Amino acid sequence: MSAKPKILVALSGGVDSSVAAAMLVEEGYEVIGATLSFRSPDPAFAERQHCGAKSDFDSIEQLTAKLGIRHYVLDRYHEFESRVLRPSWEAYRSGLTPNPCCLCNPRVKFGELIAFAREQGCLALATGHYARIENGLLRRGRDRNKDQSYFLYRLTPEQLAFLRFPLGGIDKTEVRRRALALGLTVAAGRKESQDACFACDGECFAETLRRLFGELPEPGDFIYNGRKVGRHPGVHCCTIGQRKGLNVALGVPAYVAGIDAVSGEVELVTDEKMLECNAFAVEDLVLHRPLPANCFVQIRYRTPACPASVSVENGRVEVVPETPLRAVTPGQSAVFYDGEYLLGGGIIK
RNA sequence: AACCCCAUGGUGUAAUGGUAGCACAAAUGAUUUUGGUUCAUUUAGUCCAGGUUCGAAUCCUGGUGGGGUUG
């Protein structure tokens, strides 16, 4: 009779989750693997989706064979559609730029995997995220360049208590080294890049959502200094600070500065100073600790956190960054840190 | 109707007789578990037909297209 503690590890087919699984086996856990599938039941979508590619499963197969662990595939497309894709589309169509990943993590990815882990009698769920959990508080991954704590701020205390992040204390080069040492050739050889789970080739994610929900395109005007300078295919394809893909040649780079979902007008500026923001509000809060009057705020993934003064009132945070921030975007997540520790976050108004 | 001006990559421009350059846009790649940003690389042009010249985007003639002035 095995006395080994049992743990579920989320496997994507990438190096990170593969190495996380191997580390847990080495540590003496009884490891089982699971992968969520968000593949559309509609073949027209499924065949263009990046998620659930054959190479993912080749990689997972190689891993589970090497480690001798069981692997389950959980189809959670419907949950994903109703709890992530639909709300994301509603945000895009109203001129906001949502973080689908921030919604997916607590609502679907971790929610479903934790439920499955409990069913299987596991004591914990492990993933390949670069983040740490200390005393119930999220801490940035040791590899600051790969830190993924930003996307995890909406996880609940109950979810955090059940989670393990084996990669939180090591860096990417070490992960690659271990993958090669383990002979995980498929995973190690894969490209790093990961798009949105539901992304399709040749179009932006929001455009895929529009097709998925059968909405008509609603083109509108680009406005520069009060003049119409071009057309866009719909406000869902525009985000604050965006430069690429506008198809507007003004002789100097132009950036999206404002989106009016009602009129469909998207305002462009050529002076980047116009994108700077001195104060903004954050709502739909998830707070793990009370916010001190001064902390750090991070307004998008891979943008350095900026010192800011904050005040919380009625479920709303007023943020005044120490230096103006570029392209603060409604719908995106603002996440608050005290040094390396994640205090909470919310959605930019 | 007459006269004047203009015509260069998708857009805006530079080169006034000597290898057609720049910016923006676009494409590709790098980076990235959102959207973006940023970086690198690439693609692509002298309105048409003649003429002068060793050589024409550049000078001449005509045509076409656009703008303007006069009436």
Side-chain angles (χ1 to χ4, degrees):
Chain A
M1 140 148 203
S2 166
K4 283 184 176 180
K6 189 172 178 181
I7 193 165
L8 177 70
V9 59
L11 296 178
S12 69
V15 262
D16 296 333
S17 60
S18 299
V19 169
M23 288 171 71
L24 294 166
V25 169
E26 281 174 22
E27 285 174 31
Y29 286 98
E30 178 187 346
V31 175
I32 61 173
T35 301
L36 291 181
S37 169
F38 299 144
R39 238 174 145 63
S40 172
D42 179 348
F45 275 94
E47 73 180 22
R48 290 178 62 189
Q49 275 184 264
H50 299 165
C51 163
K54 183 175 177 298
S55 68
D56 292 337
F57 287 100
D58 290 347
S59 175
I60 291 171
E61 198 172 318
Q62 184 185 43
L63 175 79
T64 54
K66 269 198 196 298
L67 299 182
I69 64 177
R70 300 186 62 184
H71 175 242
Y72 302 84
V73 176
L74 313 178
D75 177 6
R76 294 294 184 272
Y77 175 76
H78 292 292
E79 290 80 354
F80 185 62
E81 181 185 296
S82 65
R83 311 196 68 179
V84 178
L85 298 181
R86 172 64 77 176
S88 294
W89 167 246
E90 295 302 333
Y92 279 122
R93 76 183 310 190
S94 53
L96 305 173
T97 305
N99 288 106
C101 293
C102 289
L103 297 179
C104 178
N105 282 331
R107 294 182 179 183
V108 181
K109 184 183 282 182
F110 287 93
E112 294 294 328
L113 287 170
I114 286 172
F116 181 71
R118 290 209 157 101
E119 281 171 28
Q120 296 293 314
C122 295
L123 60 82
L125 167 69
T127 71
H129 284 86
Y130 289 87
R132 290 175 278 192
I133 301 169
E134 290 180 10
N135 302 320
L137 205 57
L138 278 162
R139 182 182 178 189
R140 289 190 190 274
R142 182 174 162 219
D143 186 340
R144 276 295 288 265
N145 203 36
K146 301 297 297 181
D147 169 56
Q148 291 167 317
S149 59
Y150 175 87
F151 290 109
L152 304 174
Y153 79 95
R154 296 193 85 83
L155 296 180
T156 65
E158 295 72 29
Q159 289 174 325
L160 289 176
F162 198 75
L163 286 171
R164 303 288 185 276
F165 297 140
L167 307 188
I170 61 179
D171 57 27
K172 186 77 186 194
T173 52
E174 172 67 8
V175 169
R176 289 195 178 286
R177 195 189 64 72
R178 292 189 190 212
L180 290 173
L182 287 161
L184 300 176
T185 52
V186 184
R190 277 164 38 112
K191 287 174 63 176
E192 175 77 28
S193 92
Q194 282 285 340
D195 297 309
C197 287
F198 204 72
C200 289
D201 284 324
E203 66 186 11
C204 68
F205 177 60
E207 180 61 11
T208 302
L209 293 182
R210 184 191 64 74
R211 288 194 300 117
L212 175 68
F213 294 114
E215 303 278 355
L216 293 175
E218 295 184 41
D221 292 315
F222 282 124
I223 307 293
Y224 175 65
N225 281 345
R227 298 175 163 274
K228 297 179 183 182
V229 291
R231 299 281 287 173
H232 61 76
V235 293
H236 62 290
C237 292
C238 301
T239 188
I240 305 296
Q242 176 181 352
R243 169 181 175 179
K244 297 298 278 184
L246 304 179
N247 238 311
V248 173
L250 298 178
V252 291
Y255 302 89
V256 172
I259 298 170
D260 184 335
V262 177
S263 66
E265 291 187 347
V266 171
E267 192 191 347
L268 303 183
V269 297
T270 52
D271 179 2
E272 289 195 76
K273 285 263 180 204
M274 303 284 284
L275 294 172
E276 292 183 349
C277 176
N278 295 306
F280 58 96
V282 178
E283 293 184 349
D284 297 304
L285 302 176
V286 174
L287 295 180
H288 300 111
R289 291 288 188 278
L291 296 184
N294 290 288
C295 58
F296 286 78
V297 64
Q298 184 173 334
I299 58 162
R300 61 171 73 69
Y301 183 57
R302 289 185 66 77
T303 288
C306 173
S309 65
V310 302
S311 60
V312 191
E313 201 172 317
N314 299 326
R316 176 182 168 102
V317 184
E318 300 291 342
V319 182
V320 178
E322 195 175 277
T323 54
L325 292 175
R326 182 187 186 280
V328 174
T329 306
Q332 288 283 285
S333 291
V335 179
F336 303 100
Y337 290 86
D338 175 10
E340 295 203 319
Y341 293 91
L342 193 156
L343 302 172
I347 310 292
I348 296 167
K349 287 306 288 179

